[in-house]
Amino acid sequence: MALGLFRVCLVVVTAIINHPLLFPRENTTVPENEEEIIRQMQAHQEKLQLEQLRLEEEVARLAAEKEALEEAAEEGQQQNETRAAWDLWSTLCMILFLMIEVWRQDHQDGPSAESPGADEDELPAPGGAPLQGLALPDKATLGHFYERCIRGATADAARTREFVEGVVDDLLEALRSLCDRDADMEVEDFIGVDSMYENWQVARPLVCDLLVPFTPPEPYRFRPELRCSGPLGCQGYGQVRVARGDEDAPGCVCDKTKLGEDMLCLLHGKSGLAHPGAEMEELLCAQGSRYVDTTQVMTWFQTALTRAWQRIARKYDFDLAFGQLDTPGSLKIRFRSGKFMPFNLIPAIQCEDSDLYLVLHLPRGPSQWSPASSTDWPLSFAVYERHFLRVTSKALPEGACHLSCLQIASFLLSKQSRLTGPSGLSSYHLKTVLLHLLLTRQPADWAAARLDARLQELLRFLEKSLLEKKLYHFFIGNRRAPEAPGLPEAIRRAEPLNLFQPFVLQRGLYRQTVDSFYEMLKNAPALISEYSLHLPSDHTSLPQKAAA
């Protein structure tokens, strides 16, 4: 029985499993056309192969383009490196060329006076050699010339100085009376400098140069900053900073820290919070600067002089006017007869406790570069130069000819300037040459009987300096110069200042100066003889020693 039931169940399960509605077979239907399916599969395979070939070609093309771009970039980088190297080489070559050119102009364009093979086209020396063919008059003629043209000017200089000094004393005294000592500048006594006070002035009209030192009121002070070395054209200048007298001293913290609005210094009050030198900056400095500006000082000084003259004008029977509007302190006394007497009042700032001054302008100084800014002040060594001439004169023989040489050379230069116009030479260059010669020559060489030889040597020294484009300042960087009291040590340690350096860059000015110099040498014998014609032939005394 049990076995029968098992068989029945097995049959039922088998029937259910094999029923087509419950479990249909996937492969029960066979497509009617198997060739069509195979053909479609082959076509699809061919299409896939073509697409694969196209993609492979595209990848190859992209790879080729990338490789080409990389090669182009490498070539461009190599070209840039080559170009940069070439530019660097070109720049170095240009710098080397400029250095060689400057060296050639500075050393080779001007052969020394002993070199007879100078280029006549570049250096037109008369007779083909320096100073050869130049025959100065004999000692007797030079003595006559000195008596007629120069000694009279020396005698007139004393009277001119006395008259001008009296007027200037009254003018400065009136200026002081008009100034507020708590707010205005304090003007000190004038200092006479240059040719009129060194007794070698010969050019007419006679002009007195007077330095007028000024200082700020308390508690301010001037702090000069000298520039004895640096870029081209900066030597020989300085700047002046306005500061309080106690600005650099350790003291109250109110000057060094910013106090709050609700805090007040019990020692200095509100004044301690003010900016140091603010009032003086408004009067003397350009906006935004703490350095004294030459333009501001020129305006202040001209205004002060005008007010001072208006106060004392009724005391005199002549008029006082400014000679040149762009030159502060250039004044001119006009007499009712039509004659006039010029003089220069030059504002100056003393450098610490020395006799070195920073001046507003040099009336007859060397032709150097223009100052880089209006805060640059030229350095004046006029007081030291006057002292050196005075001390040196005491060691020379009686009737020494050193000032006579300078006067004759200055006379010839002034006459030549009237004929051909001003050149790069000035009387300051002549004085610098004399100062150098006084160091190298023995005192006996300056005897009165050696006037012609010393004059010839002065002109030869000047010619040699012109041809070499080198004439060094007597004090700046000159370690052979005698020690001067109070002269800053930075002046002696500085690089030598070449007064003829402008000739290196300004070839037109240099050529004009050389031509004018040789024209002066050519005209010198005739000029000296002409001014000596009307003197008696037995008048053969040599010039006496001028007071220094």
Side-chain angles (χ1 to χ4, degrees):
M1 180 95 174
L3 181 61
L5 289 174
F6 175 76
R7 290 178 179 175
V8 171
C9 291
L10 179 62
V11 171
V12 173
V13 171
T14 304
I16 291 173
I17 293 175
N18 292 319
H19 196 281
L21 296 177
L22 294 175
F23 299 98
R25 296 183 179 179
E26 294 180 358
N27 297 328
T28 56
T29 59
V30 179
E32 299 178 353
N33 195 354
E34 294 182 358
E35 291 81 3
E36 180 67 21
I37 294 175
I38 294 172
R39 188 182 60 79
Q40 290 179 359
M41 294 178 63
Q42 291 177 349
H44 184 65
Q45 183 178 3
E46 292 177 355
K47 185 177 180 181
L48 291 177
Q49 291 177 351
L50 293 175
E51 185 66 21
Q52 182 180 0
L53 292 175
R54 188 184 67 80
L55 290 175
E56 290 177 355
E57 292 177 356
E58 184 69 20
V59 171
R61 185 179 63 81
L62 293 176
E65 292 180 355
K66 182 178 180 181
E67 185 177 357
L69 290 175
E70 291 178 353
E71 292 179 356
E74 291 179 358
E75 293 179 358
Q77 185 177 2
Q78 292 178 357
Q79 291 179 357
N80 291 335
E81 292 177 355
T82 304
R83 186 179 300 108
W86 175 254
D87 292 342
L88 178 60
W89 175 249
S90 301
T91 303
L92 291 176
C93 290
M94 180 61 68
I95 294 175
L96 182 61
F97 173 77
L98 291 177
M99 293 177 62
I100 293 175
E101 181 66 17
V102 171
W103 178 86
R104 185 187 67 82
Q105 293 183 4
D106 204 22
H107 294 273
Q108 295 182 356
D109 281 0
S112 62
E114 291 79 6
S115 301
D119 187 356
E120 294 184 6
D121 181 61
E122 177 71 17
L123 304 169
L131 288 184
Q132 290 188 6
L134 174 63
L136 291 176
D138 55 17
K139 290 182 291 186
T141 305
L142 286 177
H144 296 163
F145 170 74
Y146 180 88
E147 292 291 338
R148 182 176 182 83
C149 300
I150 295 178
R151 184 179 291 277
T154 304
D156 294 340
R159 295 190 294 269
T160 302
R161 286 198 304 265
E162 183 180 359
F163 180 81
V164 171
E165 288 174 357
V167 176
V168 172
D169 276 333
D170 289 346
L171 189 65
L172 295 183
E173 188 62 32
L175 192 153
R176 295 186 188 99
S177 65
L178 293 173
C179 292
D180 183 359
R181 294 186 177 181
D182 295 331
D184 293 334
M185 298 294 106
E186 182 178 350
V187 179
E188 302 178 358
D189 294 335
F190 64 85
I191 303 173
V193 294
D194 291 335
S195 57
M196 281 288 286
Y197 289 85
E198 295 166 351
N199 292 319
W200 58 271
Q201 170 79 19
V202 292
R204 299 284 184 162
L206 300 175
V207 181
C208 291
D209 296 321
L210 307 173
L211 300 183
V212 182
F214 66 97
T215 57
E218 294 292 341
Y220 306 107
R221 63 174 300 178
F222 291 143
R223 296 190 182 277
E225 300 176 1
L226 305 182
R227 288 210 309 264
C228 300
S229 61
L232 196 65
C234 292
Q235 285 183 286
Y237 288 91
Q239 292 183 323
V240 183
R241 182 168 59 91
V242 178
R244 291 178 64 97
D246 56 351
E247 182 176 349
D248 296 335
C252 185
V253 296
C254 69
D255 287 337
K256 303 175 178 60
T257 59
K258 184 176 181 180
L259 302 179
E261 296 181 357
D262 57 344
M263 298 182 65
L264 180 66
C265 178
L266 298 179
L267 294 177
H268 302 101
K270 295 183 179 180
S271 61
L273 304 176
H275 176 62
E279 295 84 355
M280 290 299 99
E281 290 179 13
E282 295 178 0
L283 179 63
L284 300 179
C285 302
Q287 185 175 5
S289 173
R290 298 188 64 184
Y291 288 92
V292 181
D293 189 276
T294 56
T295 305
Q296 296 286 102
V297 174
M298 178 175 65
T299 302
W300 162 77
F301 194 64
Q302 289 181 339
T303 303
L305 289 180
T306 301
R307 294 174 55 200
W309 173 247
Q310 291 174 352
R311 189 182 184 107
I312 64 172
R314 63 180 183 274
K315 295 172 53 179
Y316 299 98
D317 58 352
F318 56 79
D319 296 328
L320 185 66
F322 288 103
Q324 300 177 8
L325 295 179
D326 59 342
T327 304
S330 176
L331 300 173
K332 183 184 297 185
I333 297 175
R334 295 178 180 176
F335 298 98
R336 298 184 185 276
S337 61
K339 296 181 180 181
F340 64 92
M341 180 180 295
F343 63 96
N344 293 315
L345 290 183
I346 307 170
I349 297 177
Q350 186 178 11
C351 183
E352 301 301 336
D353 296 329
S354 68
D355 288 329
L356 178 64
Y357 288 88
L358 294 93
V359 297
L360 203 57
H361 68 100
L362 297 172
R364 284 182 294 277
S367 57
Q368 294 179 298
W369 303 270
S370 299
S373 68
S374 58
T375 59
D376 291 334
W377 291 64
L379 300 180
S380 174
F381 295 82
V383 177
Y384 284 112
E385 291 165 353
R386 185 187 66 181
H387 178 74
F388 174 77
L389 286 174
R390 180 179 301 170
V391 172
T392 304
S393 298
K394 296 179 181 179
L396 299 180
E398 184 69 23
C401 63
H402 62 299
L403 293 182
S404 303
C405 289
L406 183 57
Q407 289 174 311
I408 294 175
S410 179
F411 178 86
L412 296 176
L413 180 61
S414 64
K415 293 298 182 181
Q416 186 62 36
S417 298
R418 294 183 181 180
L419 291 175
T420 59
S423 64
L425 281 180
S426 67
S427 58
Y428 186 81
H429 294 132
L430 299 177
K431 184 173 77 169
T432 302
V433 170
L434 177 66
L435 296 179
H436 284 293
L437 290 178
L438 286 172
L439 278 183
T440 58
R441 282 288 178 182
Q442 296 295 326
D445 295 334
W446 296 99
R450 307 297 301 275
L451 174 62
D452 54 340
R454 297 287 75 80
L455 179 60
Q456 187 97 359
E457 184 180 23
L458 186 146
L459 296 176
R460 187 181 296 111
F461 190 104
L462 180 59
E463 182 194 39
K464 182 177 183 291
S465 301
L466 267 177
L467 301 185
E468 294 180 351
K469 301 177 185 176
K470 286 183 179 180
L471 178 61
Y472 291 113
H473 194 278
F474 184 70
F475 284 104
I476 298 180
N478 185 10
R479 293 172 175 80
R480 296 182 56 192
E483 294 187 3
L487 184 67
E489 185 63 23
I491 297 295
R492 297 175 63 88
R493 296 197 310 264
E495 297 180 1
L497 174 60
N498 183 11
L499 301 180
F500 282 170
Q501 186 65 31
F503 293 149
V504 177
L505 303 177
Q506 304 177 29
R507 300 181 66 87
L509 176 63
Y510 173 68
R511 183 57 184 265
Q512 175 192 0
T513 302
V514 172
D515 291 342
S516 178
F517 173 74
Y518 283 119
E519 186 71 17
M520 181 188 74
L521 296 182
K522 180 181 177 181
N523 297 334
L527 189 64
I528 293 176
S529 300
E530 179 181 355
Y531 277 87
S532 306
L533 287 178
H534 304 290
L535 290 175
S537 58
D538 57 346
H539 192 172
T540 59
S541 62
L542 289 174
Q544 297 297 317
K545 181 179 180 180

